[in-house]
Amino acid sequence: MTPAAPTTSTRALPHPAREDIRLEGVLHALSDPMRLRIVRELVAGAGDELSCSHFDLPVTKSTTTHHFRVLRESGVIRQVYRGTAKMNGLRRDDLDDLFPGLLDSLLAAAAAADRQAARLGLTG
């Protein structure tokens, strides 16, 4: 007997269509440090989908769920169920097409802020 291939669940999550993604929603989603951290980890994953359990955030599980929902509803990430795991992928193509350079600029600014905080001894 051959092992069964992984299946995608029929539990579909709502996502905005590309044309419904709004700049103010994306900026709001990325204005929170925890959500920005999630996006940075997705970028570091080089386009791979990452499960929710991959992210080690210093907040409660319900707060983590909230952050993922805000990112999904704003169009920053796409979430799909693969078996029992909820997988997360950055909607980079959509964001880059709609708002050229925005994501790279925000990520570069966040990295510069981190470097500045480290120089000033403001990191934990």
Side-chain angles (χ1 to χ4, degrees):
M1 185 157 134
T2 60
T7 59
T8 300
S9 170
T10 57
R11 297 180 290 172
L13 297 163
H15 296 84
R18 176 188 280 207
E19 61 273 8
D20 293 331
I21 297 173
R22 307 271 51 66
L23 178 61
E24 57 273 16
V26 171
L27 291 174
H28 167 73
L30 296 177
S31 69
D32 182 275
M34 288 298 115
R35 294 192 289 264
L36 187 59
R37 180 173 168 175
I38 291 167
V39 169
R40 290 170 88 174
E41 286 191 44
L42 286 169
V43 169
D48 291 337
E49 289 180 339
L50 300 174
S51 70
C52 290
S53 62
H54 166 86
F55 299 88
D56 184 24
L57 302 177
V59 295
T60 65
K61 184 173 179 174
S62 63
T63 301
T64 298
T65 299
H66 166 76
H67 287 312
F68 279 107
R69 189 184 87 244
V70 170
L71 288 167
R72 177 176 41 82
E73 290 177 352
S74 68
V76 174
I77 66 170
R78 180 165 306 281
Q79 291 185 303
V80 295
Y81 282 102
R82 304 229 188 274
T84 58
K86 193 184 292 182
M87 303 302 291
N88 303 280
L90 186 62
R91 292 181 67 176
R92 184 161 192 115
D93 290 344
D94 290 338
L95 295 172
D96 287 346
D97 286 349
L98 290 166
F99 315 112
L102 176 69
L103 191 57
D104 289 333
S105 295
L106 288 172
L107 294 171
D114 288 349
R115 288 189 300 274
Q116 181 180 33
R119 277 195 310 273
L120 296 174
L122 301 175
T123 58

